[in-house]
Amino acid sequence: MKFNKVLIALGLLGGLSGAAMAQTVLKIGYAVAQNSHYGDGSTAFCNEVEKGTQGRYKCQHFPSGSLGGEREMIEAVQLGTLDLVNTSTGPVGNFVPEVKIVDIPFLFRDYDHARRVLDGPIGQDILTKFPSKGLVALAWTENGFRHMTNSKRAILKPADAAGLKMRTMENKVHMEGYRAFGIQPTPMSFTEVFGALQQGTVDGQENPIPVILASKFSQVQKHLSLTSHVYSPALIITSPRLMNKLSDADKKVFYEAGKKAAAAQRKRVNDDEDSGIAQLEKDGMSVVRKVDGQAFRDALRDTYASYSKEFGADNIRKIQQYK
Ligand code: EAX
């Protein structure tokens, strides 16, 4: 009799641990190398999910655009062939138009301003617009303030950038602004940028320091100008399909993991900004620190009039004046 009880207990234990330990592997994709701000953010997210679900969920990383560019990965999340993507807002406006307003050049004063707007009611309200598009945005992570690089000449003011063929993200708000600087914007997926710079298909591109570092653009670009012409937010995005499978407790874990990802990714952006410019100089880039920012803002005056028509002057002012 006693032996049976032990057998039954063992059976139950085996069953329980088997069931409890059933593990779901989630695929998470991002366009930049794993040793980067995106890698840090995604790793912090996955560690928190694994810990918070006692190992019932863990991640498999697909960095460096190994599953395609950001637009393709967002489509894959919508289709259910990818579970998670950590992406810039670059192509997101094509899926969720309400996001486009945060891509306006010179909209944010500095990192503190941008982070508080996105974590505050304005940013959180934008996240509520995703489910109706078959997506769920778990949190605002970060790409960083974008700067211009090119192989031709130093850029101090718009006139220096005029005529340059610059790769841009697939983002109409950016392209409209860059045309006002006289740039010929050439939208392409991030997965093609290094090759296009190397072959000279384009003269330059624009990205935050962490991306320029992680993607070794110093090997194919001579000039870096610290234009800070636009703040580039990022997001961790999944699908209603995945979220609907989660218990309420696990949903909480995923949103908490989003916060952890944001903190880790923003920290890496800060660190890369602190040490990265000197590193890029060491790697042979010639850096313009004193850019005429006002001249770039002035060049955007008419474009801001069209942004106001598209997004509403009040909405833009609300963000600009957010304390
Ligand atoms: O999000 O496409 C870009 O230039 C982005 O900054 C890059 O994919 C990282």
Side-chain angles (χ1 to χ4, degrees):
M1 185 56 187
K2 197 153 159 288
F3 180 67
N4 291 348
K5 277 197 186 130
V6 172
L7 274 181
I8 292 165
L10 281 174
L12 278 177
L13 261 178
L16 268 176
S17 62
M21 283 316 296
Q23 188 168 60
T24 304
V25 177
L26 301 172
K27 293 195 286 186
I28 183 165
Y30 40 100
V32 180
Q34 187 149 12
N35 180 9
S36 73
H37 50 327
Y38 280 96
D40 287 10
S42 303
T43 302
F45 176 86
C46 295
N47 290 350
E48 185 69 18
V49 163
E50 191 165 348
K51 193 179 81 192
T53 64
Q54 302 80 41
R56 286 177 287 109
Y57 288 91
K58 64 176 282 181
C59 295
Q60 185 181 5
H61 290 246
F62 292 86
S64 305
S66 48
L67 293 178
E70 292 181 332
R71 179 176 46 72
E72 290 151 291
M73 288 191 277
I74 297 167
E75 280 164 2
V77 168
Q78 272 184 324
L79 293 171
T81 54
L82 180 61
D83 302 298
L84 296 145
V85 59
N86 192 346
T87 173
S88 76
T89 51
V92 175
N94 305 321
F95 299 84
V96 185
E98 291 86 354
V99 168
K100 291 197 277 186
I101 191 170
V102 299
D103 288 326
I104 293 175
F106 293 104
L107 181 67
F108 296 104
R109 295 184 296 276
D110 52 36
Y111 280 106
D112 182 50
H113 175 214
R115 293 166 181 175
R116 275 189 298 105
V117 168
L118 297 176
D119 294 347
I122 296 171
Q124 297 309 301
D125 177 59
I126 294 173
L127 300 186
T128 66
K129 312 301 181 189
F130 281 70
S132 63
K133 301 298 188 311
L135 298 164
V136 172
L138 294 168
W140 292 100
T141 53
E142 186 168 82
N143 195 10
F145 275 96
R146 302 177 80 91
H147 307 291
M148 295 181 188
T149 69
N150 81 94
S151 57
K152 300 276 190 247
R153 55 183 173 264
I155 297 174
L156 281 78
K157 55 193 181 306
D160 303 324
L164 289 177
K165 203 171 173 199
M166 297 274 265
R167 178 267 175 181
T168 70
M169 295 196 286
E170 296 146 305
N171 185 298
K172 291 201 177 57
V173 177
H174 285 183
M175 294 167 68
E176 197 182 344
Y178 301 167
R179 279 195 199 93
F181 303 148
I183 285 169
Q184 289 177 46
T186 309
M188 72 176 69
S189 166
F190 188 71
T191 51
E192 299 160 37
V193 176
F194 191 92
L197 295 169
Q198 200 168 37
Q199 287 138 34
T201 320
V202 290
D203 304 316
Q205 64 88 47
E206 39 85 56
N207 250 296
I209 297 296
V211 174
I212 297 170
L213 276 171
S215 311
K216 303 192 177 359
F217 285 160
S218 58
Q219 294 174 359
V220 286
Q221 296 273 270
K222 176 66 188 160
H223 300 279
L224 165 63
S225 292
L226 303 182
T227 48
S228 300
H229 54 275
V230 66
Y231 172 78
S232 186
L235 293 147
I236 290 217
I237 299 175
T238 185
S239 66
R241 178 181 302 101
L242 175 69
M243 293 306 282
N244 294 341
K245 284 188 205 144
L246 303 178
S247 66
D248 289 351
D250 286 349
K251 280 194 181 79
K252 269 213 192 88
V253 169
F254 275 61
Y255 280 105
E256 190 48 39
K259 292 199 183 97
K260 290 273 177 10
Q265 199 152 331
R266 290 168 179 177
K267 181 183 179 314
R268 180 64 183 262
V269 169
N270 293 345
D271 296 348
D272 282 356
E273 290 235 341
D274 291 346
S275 60
I277 297 164
Q279 181 59 51
L280 291 169
E281 267 174 331
K282 237 195 251 149
D283 300 341
M285 292 192 93
S286 115
V287 179
V288 175
R289 287 175 173 77
K290 290 220 170 343
V291 168
D292 184 348
Q294 193 52 49
F296 280 95
R297 284 182 176 78
D298 295 345
L300 282 173
R301 193 161 296 122
D302 297 349
T303 315
Y304 256 74
S306 106
Y307 288 148
S308 295
K309 273 206 204 84
E310 182 172 359
F311 303 114
D314 288 355
N315 293 328
I316 295 174
R317 203 173 304 114
K318 237 191 300 174
I319 293 175
Q320 289 172 322
Q321 295 172 352
Y322 191 87
K323 289 271 172 304

